[in-house]
Amino acid sequence: MLSLRKNAIDLGIVIKDSNASLAFYRDLLGFEHVADTPLSGAVPATMHRLRCGDTMIKLVSHDETPSAESPPGGIGGATGIRYFTMQITNLAEATNACRDAGVKVIIDQREIRPGVSISMVADPDGNWVEFVDDTTL
């Protein structure tokens, strides 16, 4: 049994392009930039740490981009971690800001049940990010 130190799970995302990913997560979505940390070891890389609420998003850029990629297609494309979700209160604004910035909107804003609306976008590496506005909470 785990004894949690904080009420959040940190998320590591291996990225191809630091500039594109930071433009998306930091500049567009507004995640707070905490630090850039060089990683040494078997695979040299840089970790860009960004805070989203209590969660730390760790964007890892290898000095040499790995040749293998996750299969495309989001939820229906393969098994494994295919998307992550953020509870927000400005769904239309966030979805439109992503669209206006040229981000691919996978699922446009829609109500999935009374009081709960979602949209999904793709980050620069094709990872799906879900926005949920749940007014029942």
Side-chain angles (χ1 to χ4, degrees), residues 21-76:
S21 291
L22 288 170
F24 177 75
Y25 288 104
R26 181 193 61 205
D27 303 337
L28 181 60
L29 298 186
F31 293 6
E32 174 192 355
H33 182 258
V34 175
D36 296 326
T37 306
L39 303 177
S40 58
V43 182
T46 299
M47 178 186 293
H48 308 283
R49 292 184 296 139
L50 305 170
R51 186 171 308 284
C52 175
D54 290 335
T55 296
M56 187 70 67
I57 304 293
K58 302 180 290 186
L59 304 176
V60 177
S61 175
H62 293 287
D63 290 359
E64 292 186 30
T65 303
S67 59
E69 293 184 9
S70 294
I75 294 171

Side-chain angles (χ1 to χ4, degrees), residues 69-84 120 126-129:
E69 293 184 9
S70 294
I75 294 171
T79 59
I81 298 172
R82 307 299 295 162
Y83 71 101
F84 67 97
M120 289 183 123
N127 300 300
W128 287 15
V129 179

Side-chain angles (χ1 to χ4, degrees), residues 83-107:
Y83 71 101
F84 67 97
T85 303
M86 290 178 287
Q87 296 282 339
I88 64 174
T89 60
N90 61 337
L91 183 63
E93 178 185 346
T95 306
N96 290 331
C98 287
R99 182 182 292 105
D100 293 346
V103 171
K104 183 175 182 180
V105 176
I106 305 296
I107 299 174

